[in-house]
Amino acid sequence: MLAGALPGASAQSIDWKKVDAALGKTATVSGDVHRYGLPRSDLQVTLDGVAIKPALALGGWVAFAPMHAQAMVMGDLVLLESEITPVMTRLLDSGLDITAIHNHILRASPATFYMHVAGHGDPEKMASAIHAALSAASKTPFDQATTTANAPAALDLDTAKMDEIMHAKGTVNGGVYQFGIPRRDPVTEGGMTVAGAMGGANAIGFQPTGNGKAAITGDFLATGDEVNPLIRTLRAGGIEVTAIHSHMLDEQPRLFFIHFWANDDALKLARGLRAALDKTAARN
């Protein structure tokens, strides 16, 4: 992992404006976590006739949290097949670690893959390394999205009923209704808590497809003994299981990430997803 810089500094002394500048993005701050969205808005991906919105399945990101006077970074980069090796090579050469490469969805055109990265060191240097790798070896956009004061457009979904079914309050992001539901017990990596903003929560997204239907995808966090009860419940609810894999290398407890897909009545799918969550130690 990246070593070095910030000797003797406190976590509070990190100059996050310099990290923003190095990555060419402005962070969303949640507690101590600074998260940067890297959506693949340049890609036109379709799956089973659905045009996938970046917020549903193409939302790459990296997140930094203070750690021992430096910072820990974790992230999930969305890449085309031809981009995987050159991006990986540049990240490794910079001292960052790769912790997983895999699919999240099936049958997508073009096919997309997901590279999980990690590191510990000077956050400005790590941000610069990530920016350089993606800029040189992928077409990941770094332009800042324009912001407006307008409220998010209403979705063609009964979100109040979905909240009731899911026992959680969702949020609208980029035309997708999203839920982030943590596990009851914290997930740790290297002795640090992996917050939801760093990938430590069940992530579920609903993209409206008309007439009360939605395309869904995301991932569940499950311990080994939870995996098969969870996937049996998903299949019983008509939800396809598209991947089972790890995202981290040394997390506690050991977790598997279960990815899924369906396009059906949104409330029916919400019930199926809630039933699957109930097979895990989800917080709510």
Side-chain angles (χ1 to χ4, degrees), residues 1-14 16 64-73 119-124 126 192:
M1 294 192 179
L2 274 182
L6 295 185
S10 67
Q12 290 74 21
S13 71
I14 295 174
W16 291 108
F64 296 79
M67 179 181 184
H68 307 318
Q70 300 181 324
M72 173 173 68
V73 66
H120 174 215
D122 178 346
E124 184 181 353
M126 294 190 292
M192 292 285 292

Side-chain angles (χ1 to χ4, degrees), residues 97-100 189 246-251 254:
D97 289 341
I98 308 300
T99 61
E189 169 88 356
S246 60
H247 287 182
M248 297 173 277
L249 299 178
D250 191 34
E251 77 280 6
R254 182 67 171 147

Side-chain angles (χ1 to χ4, degrees), residues 198-245:
M198 299 191 78
N202 298 284
I204 296 168
F206 291 76
Q207 178 181 317
T209 55
N211 299 316
K213 296 177 64 177
I216 60 167
T217 193
D219 54 8
F220 291 94
L221 283 65
T223 55
D225 61 328
E226 295 171 344
V227 169
N228 277 281
L230 187 153
I231 64 176
R232 286 190 172 96
T233 303
L234 289 174
R235 294 302 303 127
I239 299 169
E240 182 179 18
V241 176
T242 58
I244 303 173
H245 50 226

Side-chain angles (χ1 to χ4, degrees), residues 133-217:
L134 290 175
S135 296
S138 83
K139 296 186 184 300
T140 302
F142 279 89
D143 54 304
Q144 289 282 25
T146 57
T147 58
T148 68
N150 297 333
L155 299 183
D156 180 24
L157 296 172
D158 187 347
T159 56
K161 185 63 175 177
M162 291 167 63
D163 290 349
E164 179 184 334
I165 293 169
M166 295 295 294
H167 304 169
K169 175 64 178 174
T171 58
V172 179
N173 177 28
V176 175
Y177 200 58
Q178 298 178 332
F179 292 92
I181 301 174
R183 289 180 63 87
R184 285 197 296 269
D185 299 319
V187 180
T188 62
E189 169 88 356
M192 292 285 292
T193 298
V194 180
M198 299 191 78
N202 298 284
I204 296 168
F206 291 76
Q207 178 181 317
T209 55
N211 299 316
K213 296 177 64 177
I216 60 167
T217 193

Side-chain angles (χ1 to χ4, degrees), residues 13-35:
S13 71
I14 295 174
D15 188 339
W16 291 108
K17 289 184 178 180
K18 289 185 177 179
V19 182
D20 290 356
L23 201 52
K25 292 276 189 176
T26 300
T28 298
V29 182
S30 176
D32 287 338
V33 177
H34 289 241
R35 178 171 167 133

